[in-house]
Structures are given as structure tokens and as C-alpha cells.
Amino acid sequence: MKRFPAFDPPEYVDWKPDPALVRGFRSTIESHPERAGIVSSLTPDSKLLLYSGLLRARLHDIELKRWVRTGVISKAWLGTGEEATTVGPVHALERGKDIVAPMIRNAAACCEMGMPIADMLRAYLATADSPSGGRDLHVGSFPHGVLQPISHVGDMVPVIAGIALTFKIKREPRVALTWVGDGSTKSAAAHEGTNFAAVQRVPAIFIVQNNQVALGTRLEQHHLPSNFKDWPASYGIWGASFDGNNVLDAYAATRIAAERCRSGQGPALLIAETFRMGGHATHDEREARETFSADLFTTWGKRDPIGLYEEYLKEEGVSERTLGELEAKVTDEVERAAREALASREKMPDGKTALEGVYASRN
Ligand SMILES: Cc1ncc(C[n+]2csc(CCOP(=O)(O)OP(=O)(O)O)c2C)c(N)n1
Ligand SMILES: [Mg+2]
């Protein structure tokens, strides 16, 4: 894809495929027969939809970064480098039926569940026609099956456990999914919610999104084991790890988890290993470079989830022209959404509307 020197992490600007990592992308899937079977049953179109999803996620974030740099907004929380951990799992769900609760770094879940990108961007502008009427930059849309994130990290875990419990009680073959940051796993709410889901055997998927950092605290400062591999067993539930920079691995692992949920086998705890290629938000990118060694950025920068997936698709016979056409389409979609959202700035909410929609009506 086109790289953006003004907005991309420096490691992405001149991104070149590393042959060993390109081979590794494929062998990660091939080394797991069940996942390999799921990937081989994907149609060429579904594989391209995953590619568009990754591009949409990246370009949405680039638009926000552009807005920060040009003074439209003061700050944005991005998912750069972690796109596959959001896009793969959402595509593995039954959209229109299942429910997701993205955290702010999983914004791409909104558009991949069908929300207009313009609405996602409007949330940052707090316009009257934004999803929460200007109340909050956290985005959700119940009709699209997307819960608006609660700012308190970890709190979506018990919410998702509760929604999954209703699916179980109503005997609906539906799945509820949320992502939990490595740091957020340390919250009481995440622990209570995961344990509740475990003992009630509800159809919930929890994805631990281990991007190696929580704000400015490195993983080893808040987590003594070197990874999360033992966590599913500690709750007595099924779990698996996937490569958080490999959209196909993320997709296949979630498909397996969702099928288990739908057939009444209880919740799943998936662990995604990935890396935050920027700051916690746009305000602390310099600090993030001090939090981690330059080597770590170099290592993970080579594993750009979009670059690696492009190489995979090319090996599968997808032409550069097809990739380019898709990129042009998604670019146009995001640029149009940005123009629409900016036009909404004429519609700022009246102060009194803050009192509306706080409580559900009785009728
Ligand atoms: C309960 C609670 N404590 C602290 C915060 C402030 N806070 C927001 S994001 C964050 C770090 C979360 O780290 P992690 O769960 O690893 O997610 P990441 O940002 O890395 O995606 C913190 C401490 C909060 N929002 N909620
Ligand atoms: Mg984290």
C-alpha cells in the first residue's frame, strides 16, 4: 500500500518484505492443520475483503493522524500495527447476528461490523449527528452489533459475559466477543467477567491483545510470566494463541473459537501477540520510543500486518493491479467519509441535549 512518511511509523515508510517473515506468515497457518483447513476454504473474495478491512483500519487511523497534525482534533488513539488482531476476528463472526465490544484501539471493528466510517470520525468531532450525539469519542452502534466502549478498561468483559449469558438462556446460537489489552487483564472487572463467563459456560470470546505495553508500562513491569499462554487453563476454559500480525491466523483461530461457542462448549480465551507501533495515543509517540528499544520497533516494523498480507496475496496469484484497485476504492471511501464528517461540524449539539437519552424510556 501507499506509505505516508508524515504519518506512518518510520519503520513502515520504506517497508520491504523480509523473505523469512513472508515464509513464516504462510507456515504459521500451515503448521496448524485445523486453521490451515479454514484458510483454504476461504474464497478469493473473502481474502480480499480481509485486505480491504486492513486498509480501512490503517487509512482511518491515518486520517485521524492528519486531523491531529492539522489541528482539527487534539489527540487520537490508533491501532497502527495491530490491525490484524481486530480485522481477522470480526470477519470470523456472523455479522448481523454476533456482538462485539471493541476497545478504543479496535476502532476498525466498527466499520468491519458495518458502521459508516463517517460516523466513526464524527465521534471524534463530537457533532450532533455523531453516534453518541457528541457525548463521547468512544464509538458504537447497537443496530450494527457494536457496543460503545466503556472508558474504564476491562469493564467490557463483564458486559460481554452478560450478553453471552442472555444468548445462552435464550438458546440463540450467537457469540459475543471483546478484546482485552495486556494491561487491562489486570483489572478486577476483567478477572470477574472472565471467571463468570467460565463457570456459566457462556458463548463469549475474549481476545487478550498483548501489544507488550499498557500506556507507558512495559509488559514485564506488570506481568511476571513471559506470556499469557497459561491464562485460559487458569480459568478452566479453552484457549489458543494466534499471531496478532497475521490476519489469516487471527481469522482462523476466532472461527474455531466461535464454532465452539455456538455448539455450547463455553467461552474461549484467545491470546494475540502483537506490538503497538506508536504511542498510547498521538500525544506520546516520543515517549513510546523511549519506553522500548529501537530494535524492538525494527523487529515488529518488519512484521507490518498489511505488508505481509500483501505478499501472501501476491503469492496466491492476486495481481498488483487488483490490490491497487482495492486500495483506491478504500482510499476513496475513507476520504469521502472524512469530508462528510468535517461537514458535520456545522451541527454541534445544544448543551441541553446532554440530558437526553440518559435513561431508557419506560414505554
Ligand atoms: C480502570 C482504568 N484504569 C486506568 C485507565 C487509564 N488507561 C486507559 S488505557 C490504559 C492502558 C491500557 O493498556 P492495555 O490494556 O494494555 O491496552 P492498550 O492501550 O495497550 O491497547 C490505561 C491505564 C482506564 N481507562 N481505566
Ligand atoms: Mg497493551
Side-chain angles (χ1 to χ4, degrees):
M1 73 177 295
K2 178 182 169 188
R3 303 295 176 166
F4 296 81
F7 307 120
D8 270 325
E11 293 76 8
Y12 285 180
V13 174
D14 292 314
W15 196 86
K16 299 269 179 313
D18 175 326
L21 292 175
V22 174
R23 278 196 303 278
F25 188 94
R26 189 173 286 274
S27 64
T28 294
I29 300 151
E30 285 170 355
S31 64
H32 194 299
E34 199 179 357
R35 293 185 194 174
I38 290 170
V39 170
S40 67
S41 67
L42 271 172
T43 62
D45 277 353
S46 308
K47 286 187 177 170
L48 293 179
L49 287 173
L50 284 167
Y51 179 62
S52 299
L54 292 174
L55 291 175
R56 213 174 273 117
R58 178 74 54 86
L59 292 171
H60 163 267
D61 282 4
I62 283 180
E63 196 61 51
L64 285 176
K65 213 163 176 185
R66 182 177 288 125
W67 281 7
V68 171
R69 293 279 172 78
T70 54
V72 175
I73 52 175
S74 57
K75 174 171 165 176
W77 288 258
L78 310 177
T80 313
E82 304 179 47
E83 295 90 349
T85 303
T86 303
V87 173
V90 173
H91 282 235
L93 296 178
E94 290 192 28
R95 286 172 277 177
K97 186 165 151 189
D98 296 335
I99 296 281
V100 298
M103 291 308 296
I104 203 162
R105 219 172 289 294
N106 311 110
C110 298
C111 44
E112 296 316 292
M113 290 291 279
M115 278 185 75
I117 297 176
D119 280 349
M120 296 162 63
L121 294 171
R122 283 185 181 106
Y124 265 97
L125 300 172
T127 59
D129 56 353
S130 72
S132 67
R135 285 185 179 77
D136 195 349
L137 58 80
H138 292 95
V139 197
S141 161
F142 210 64
H144 291 96
V146 186
L147 301 185
Q148 188 179 348
I150 301 170
S151 179
H152 305 79
V153 297
D155 277 16
M156 296 317 281
V157 176
V159 175
I160 277 296
I163 288 178
L165 182 62
T166 67
F167 295 161
K168 183 183 167 189
I169 291 168
K170 292 182 174 173
R171 297 179 191 280
E172 293 175 348
R174 299 168 73 188
V175 174
L177 180 152
T178 192
W179 293 260
V180 193
D182 50 285
S184 307
T185 58
K186 309 305 177 306
S187 67
H191 171 61
E192 287 180 30
T194 311
N195 191 62
F196 181 81
V199 294
Q200 296 292 333
R201 295 181 65 75
V202 303
I205 301 175
F206 305 111
I207 300 179
V208 173
Q209 184 161 343
N210 180 14
N211 64 0
Q212 322 298 325
V213 65
L215 247 165
T217 307
R218 294 189 307 276
L219 182 71
E220 75 269 17
Q221 295 173 297
H222 71 75
H223 189 88
L224 291 185
S226 56
N227 56 48
F228 284 88
K229 287 208 165 69
D230 295 333
W231 275 46
S234 75
Y235 287 101
I237 59 178
W238 181 85
S241 298
F242 67 82
D243 177 345
N245 286 35
N246 183 326
V247 73
L248 294 174
D249 204 34
Y251 172 88
T254 311
R255 271 283 301 274
I256 294 167
E259 274 158 30
R260 288 181 56 89
C261 282
R262 268 186 244 284
S263 60
Q265 296 180 72
L269 185 54
L270 296 176
I271 296 133
E273 294 294 332
T274 184
F275 189 70
R276 193 185 73 189
M277 284 300 292
H280 177 67
T282 47
H283 68 284
D284 66 346
E285 288 178 359
R286 189 186 54 79
E287 286 92 331
R289 295 274 162 175
E290 288 166 6
T291 304
F292 289 113
S293 68
D295 278 358
L296 211 55
F297 274 95
T298 307
T299 303
W300 284 93
K302 289 183 185 161
R303 307 188 61 221
D304 171 23
I306 300 186
L308 287 177
Y309 190 45
E310 274 172 1
E311 295 308 306
Y312 171 91
L313 290 173
K314 284 190 230 161
E315 283 178 4
E316 292 288 291
V318 179
S319 66
E320 303 243 8
R321 187 170 158 199
T322 301
L323 294 177
E325 283 168 1
L326 280 176
E327 186 176 338
K329 202 167 144 215
V330 177
T331 303
D332 182 58
E333 182 188 344
V334 175
E335 284 177 356
R336 252 184 309 116
R339 281 196 298 276
E340 278 175 42
L342 288 170
S344 283
R345 284 189 297 181
E346 289 168 11
K347 296 177 236 165
M348 295 313 280
D350 279 342
K352 63 177 188 301
T353 61
L355 298 174
E356 291 168 7
V358 177
Y359 298 106
S361 69
R362 271 190 291 167
N363 40 28

